[in-house]
Amino acid sequence: MDAAPVVGIIMGSTSDWPTLEHAARTLRDFGVAWEAEVVSAHRTPGKLVTYSQSASARGLKCIIAGAGGAAHLPGMTAAMTELPVLGVPVQSKTLNGVDSLLSIVQMPAGIPTATFAIGKAGAINAALFAIAMLATENPALAEKLRAFRQNQTDTVTAAELPPLD
């Protein structure tokens, strides 16, 4: 995709990519330009500051931030940018991602961070949420989103349950 990215996808480590790649694929499938980087709140705090504070000037409209464990990345990003931050809890080994979810969803008043489901579903929904935000100012993208949702409706409507044996 040659267009300048409008959605940033950041994660605390490369081990988070198997979750966040679902956000990237969803954005790609809708034709939304994105960028992805490893930006650790704990190991590269300077990079986090630079990334967050320059995001708007670089043309980003929102940031999807995925993190596991202590999951400080989404909240710290939200504290340093005026852009919407969409937090994706990554499934952790210790508490299966519940620790990540609670870390992201418990932001104090005044530093909002949207929080999605743990893992793949959360990554996909964060991308769809970003697409919905962008679609408010992009009629072509709004049409793609409408068609996507209609396809989901049609698939469920056409579904048939197997007969009992």
Side-chain angles (χ1 to χ4, degrees):
M1 188 170 298
D2 294 332
V6 292
V7 178
I9 301 172
I10 58 175
M11 63 215 76
S13 70
T14 57
S15 64
D16 298 336
W17 181 242
T19 298
L20 277 297
E21 72 179 310
H22 296 288
R25 290 179 197 283
T26 302
L27 293 166
R28 179 200 62 196
D29 292 349
F30 275 85
V32 174
W34 55 274
E35 65 181 24
E37 288 194 41
V38 175
V39 180
S40 172
H42 302 108
R43 293 178 293 277
T44 61
K47 184 177 181 179
L48 172 59
V49 170
T50 301
Y51 186 91
S52 301
Q53 292 180 347
S54 69
S56 181
R58 292 184 300 104
L60 296 184
K61 302 299 183 193
C62 67
I63 299 170
I64 296 171
H72 288 99
L73 184 61
M76 290 301 297
T77 302
M80 290 184 268
T81 184
E82 69 281 2
L83 295 177
V85 175
L86 315 178
V88 177
V90 174
Q91 190 169 2
S92 60
K93 293 177 184 166
T94 307
L95 295 173
N96 212 27
V98 173
D99 50 343
S100 310
L101 173 66
L102 294 175
S103 289
I104 299 169
V105 80
Q106 293 295 326
M107 286 300 295
I111 309 294
T113 304
T115 309
F116 294 85
I118 298 167
K120 177 181 176 180
I124 292 169
N125 282 339
L128 290 170
F129 192 88
I131 290 163
M133 287 191 304
L134 295 168
T136 64
E137 296 181 0
N138 182 328
L141 189 56
E143 178 53 31
K144 286 181 184 179
L145 185 57
R146 188 208 59 74
F148 171 82
R149 290 182 176 170
Q150 185 60 53
N151 184 57
Q152 287 186 311
T153 299
D154 294 345
T155 300
V156 171
T157 302
E160 294 184 23
L161 296 173
L164 292 175
D165 54 346

